[in-house]
Amino acid sequence: MEQNNAKSYSSALYTLITVFFFWGFLAASNGVFIPFCKEHFHLTQFESQLIDFTFYGGYFIGSLILYFASSISKIDIMNKMGYKNGIILGLIVSALGAIGMIPAIASGSFGLILTVFFIIAIGFSLQQTAANPFVVALGPPETGSNRLNFAGSINNIGGLLGPVVVGIILFGSASAKIDAKDVQISSVNNLYYMLAGLFIAVAIFFWFSNLPKVTSDEKIESSSKANTPLLIMFLAFLLILAADPLSAYLNKLLSSDATKIVDIVKSQYFVYASLAIIVLTLVGTIFAAKRNKEGWGAMQYPQLILGMLAIFTYVGTEVTIQSNMGSLLKTPEFGSYHESDIAPYISLYWGSLMIGRFAGAIGAFNLSKTVKYILYILVPFVAFGIVLLVNAATGVNVSNLYGYAACVGILIVAFFIGKQKPTRTLAVLGLLGVAFMLTGLATTGKVATFSFISGGLCCSIMWPSIFSLSITGLGKYTSQGSAFLIMMILGGSIIPPLQGKVADGSNNVIAGMSGIHFSYIVPVIGFAYLAYFAWKVSRELRHQGIDLDHVEVAAGH
């Protein structure tokens, strides 16, 4: 890359972080938009979670297309296009998707809405593929993670504001008691007109921005054997989309009475099968690569495969907690909230990620141990105060959220126990996540609500821990391994519909507990695997002669 002065680096970085804001804003907004769609289109919990399926699936498909295209051509297509042009193209694609949402909603077709969400996500995939390495390249390599941490904090601000802003646009005000069925379609149209306008405005801004030219001479490593598991996971992804139609078709075939379709083949079986296929494919790859490493590329390393499953689990767990929360808060045991009352809690969840990441970023600065300890205590509460102020500014009665300070205090204790070491931090937060989720399952009301929202605190700095552990020791395959890890954002597409199926299938089955409440057993399992990953990958790296005890982890994705 051609070197420019520090000032040009700074202005380029400030330009780039605008797209990080959008990713967080729209992803977090889904927590408000999902319950609206569920009520407006009369969807099951599983069907409503298809919004996340298509949104995060777009990331996976976009990355997969770029990977195979680059592999076939043996040219890094994004590098050839240029990171700046890649971001501009991504913004234009997302803008077209946002504009397409207006006729999609007017048509009354939920399938068309999902298609438009997919188009928006494809644009985001292009933006993310270009923006992350671009940020790292804007300066010395040793400070690249600090720049990504800064960009990630802007992503969190978008996540904090998204539910609040979208809630106001849809429901008129944060304090209005309005049901989704009463929302005017014009309000939804205004939301997507606004987003499309912003995407186009930022694309124009990027076009005229004087960004440094960033190129890479890194050779594309051959990994022909890795293509098979990736294609199998793609088919498993499609199985989720086909779950309901396949179930209905097979039931018709198996039913002896044409007038009475017996529910023999339940659609959730296809969802469970999809997850099983992905997990077994990755586990099988570990054993296959151990027998013969040739042709596997980065997948020859067990830590990467374990990490791919961990990223899949982490993203899915992070997303599914908030995606199903809107429906949870509408149940009597959780307060029978209106859709317009849900936004502050979704905002608090994404704000929890900001709280943890701001605290996690302290380790990236060269400070004395005493100053760090003081900041570890103060920063989380200051960040919590910012979350309260943002919500209070919209007219929300934030006194209902004060009790969450106790959960923030528990996170601080976890930080001191983790000591900023990747394996230890990940293990502590994984186990703490299990404890929070089990507390939420065992209780109701405000205690359970705050317990589930605390999953955001636990997820906050997991991304860099998983990422650093997974690519350690990969050598020349580090770049390829990073690309494979990005693909596993797929977890945000698979796990929320899985929880939706558990919710739909558990109704009237669990005594004294609604189906949506019981469905939070899914993030319990997710956090449990992440704790297991920390232990397992640590052993695997030690077998390779790698000691990470001296490594510290900063903020997250």
Side-chain angles (χ1 to χ4, degrees):
M1 186 186 77
E2 202 175 287
Q3 295 298 311
N4 294 320
N5 58 44
K7 184 176 180 180
S8 67
Y9 279 144
S10 298
S11 61
L13 179 60
Y14 298 148
T15 301
L16 279 173
I17 61 175
T18 56
V19 292
F20 283 79
F21 177 88
F22 281 134
W23 304 340
F25 183 94
L26 201 58
S29 300
N30 287 351
V32 176
F33 195 66
I34 285 172
F36 162 76
C37 285
K38 182 182 179 183
E39 180 72 25
H40 188 80
F41 293 100
H42 310 291
L43 307 174
T44 64
Q45 188 62 18
F46 166 74
E47 289 170 336
S48 71
Q49 295 307 302
L50 289 177
I51 289 177
D52 273 336
F53 171 80
T54 52
F55 186 75
Y56 289 94
Y59 277 90
F60 172 67
I61 298 299
S63 300
L64 201 63
I65 291 171
L66 275 177
Y67 167 76
F68 278 117
S70 297
S71 296
I72 293 169
S73 64
K74 295 185 179 179
I75 297 172
D76 188 332
I77 292 176
M78 183 58 72
N79 183 54
K80 184 77 173 178
M81 180 191 304
Y83 292 143
K84 175 180 174 179
N85 291 334
I87 293 172
I88 293 171
L89 178 60
L91 285 163
I92 292 172
V93 172
S94 293
L96 291 174
I99 293 171
M101 185 65 78
I102 295 161
I105 292 177
S107 73
S109 170
F110 185 59
L112 191 55
I113 288 175
L114 294 179
T115 301
V116 172
F117 257 108
F118 183 78
I119 294 171
I120 294 173
I122 288 288
F124 277 18
S125 175
L126 285 169
Q127 295 168 43
Q128 182 140 198
T129 302
N132 278 289
F134 204 164
V135 169
V136 173
L138 291 178
E142 60 270 20
T143 57
S145 61
N146 292 345
R147 290 188 292 278
L148 274 178
N149 290 334
F150 173 61
S153 68
I154 302 302
N155 177 278
N156 294 144
I157 293 174
L160 171 64
L161 293 175
V164 176
V165 173
V166 172
I168 291 174
I169 293 174
L170 292 183
F171 304 111
S173 73
S175 58
K177 305 297 182 183
I178 301 175
D179 289 322
K181 63 179 181 294
D182 299 321
V183 173
Q184 298 296 317
I185 294 299
S186 59
S187 298
V188 184
N189 290 347
N190 290 338
L191 169 63
Y192 284 96
Y193 277 130
M194 179 191 75
L195 286 173
L198 287 172
F199 289 144
I200 293 171
V202 175
I204 294 172
F205 176 62
F206 266 83
W207 179 264
F208 288 104
S209 294
N210 184 24
L211 296 177
K213 185 178 180 181
V214 177
T215 58
S216 173
D217 298 323
E218 186 174 351
K219 183 181 177 182
I220 299 294
E221 293 288 347
S222 175
S223 54
S224 56
K225 290 182 180 178
N227 295 344
T228 300
L230 291 175
L231 285 172
I232 292 174
M233 286 190 285
F234 170 67
L235 294 175
F237 166 80
L238 294 180
L239 191 58
I240 294 274
L241 195 59
D244 279 345
L246 276 175
S247 175
Y249 176 72
L250 289 174
N251 281 328
K252 288 181 181 179
L253 288 179
L254 295 171
S255 176
S256 58
D257 183 353
T259 62
K260 182 181 179 182
I261 299 176
V262 182
D263 190 17
I264 302 171
V265 182
K266 294 183 179 295
S267 57
Q268 61 256 41
Y269 296 154
F270 292 98
V271 180
Y272 302 152
S274 176
L275 180 64
I277 290 170
I278 292 171
V279 172
L280 292 175
T281 297
L282 290 173
V283 173
T285 299
I286 293 176
F287 291 105
K290 276 186 177 180
R291 288 194 297 270
N292 183 5
K293 294 183 178 181
E294 186 178 350
W296 282 106
M299 285 191 182
Q300 67 185 270
Y301 295 94
Q303 63 265 36
L304 177 69
I305 305 298
L306 291 167
M308 289 173 69
L309 188 53
I311 290 289
F312 176 92
T313 304
Y314 154 74
V315 176
T317 299
E318 176 186 279
V319 173
T320 199
I321 291 173
Q322 67 90 31
S323 291
N324 288 279
M325 189 166 292
S327 295
L328 180 76
L329 294 176
K330 292 178 68 177
T331 60
E333 61 266 36
F334 279 83
S336 299
Y337 287 92
H338 290 80
E339 282 85 358
S340 54
D341 296 323
I342 292 170
Y345 292 95
I346 303 298
S347 176
L348 179 60
Y349 177 78
W350 291 103
S352 297
L353 289 151
M354 183 187 76
I355 291 168
R357 289 169 182 173
F358 277 15
I362 294 169
F365 298 96
N366 186 22
L367 304 170
S368 69
K369 185 174 291 187
T370 301
V371 172
K372 282 185 178 182
Y373 284 167
I374 293 173
L375 290 177
Y376 281 139
I377 296 173
L378 293 180
V379 168
F381 286 113
V382 171
F384 178 49
I386 293 173
V387 175
L388 295 179
L389 284 173
V390 168
N391 281 279
T394 64
V396 171
N397 180 11
V398 294
S399 62
N400 295 326
L401 307 179
Y402 289 163
Y404 193 67
C407 300
V408 177
I410 293 173
L411 175 71
I412 293 171
V413 174
F415 265 63
F416 279 104
I417 296 173
K419 296 183 177 179
Q420 294 286 286
K421 312 298 181 184
T423 51
R424 187 165 181 167
T425 298
L426 190 57
V428 169
L429 293 179
L431 293 173
L432 183 60
V434 170
F436 274 132
M437 296 302 107
L438 289 176
T439 300
L441 285 169
T443 58
T444 57
K446 196 58 65 71
V447 172
T449 300
F450 284 164
S451 295
F452 289 140
I453 290 175
S454 295
L457 296 173
C458 298
C459 287
S460 59
I461 61 169
M462 281 185 167
W463 175 278
S465 297
I466 298 170
F467 214 91
S468 61
L469 290 167
S470 302
I471 63 174
T472 297
L474 267 59
K476 65 181 181 180
Y477 295 106
T478 298
S479 178
Q480 187 183 85
S482 299
F484 288 153
L485 289 172
I486 293 295
M487 286 183 194
M488 300 316 291
I489 289 176
L490 174 67
S493 175
I494 303 294
I495 294 180
L498 172 68
Q499 184 172 348
K501 274 299 179 189
V502 173
D504 291 334
S506 303
N507 283 321
N508 303 319
V509 174
I510 309 301
M513 183 182 292
S514 64
I516 187 65
H517 189 186
F518 174 76
S519 73
Y520 274 81
I521 192 69
V522 171
V524 172
I525 298 170
F527 280 121
Y529 172 73
L530 293 170
Y532 167 78
F533 166 76
W535 170 79
K536 180 66 176 178
V537 78
S538 178
R539 291 189 60 186
E540 183 60 46
L541 290 174
R542 281 200 298 270
H543 289 158
Q544 297 176 22
I546 300 172
D547 180 12
L548 291 180
D549 285 347
H550 66 285
V551 177
E552 292 192 350
V553 59
H557 180 263

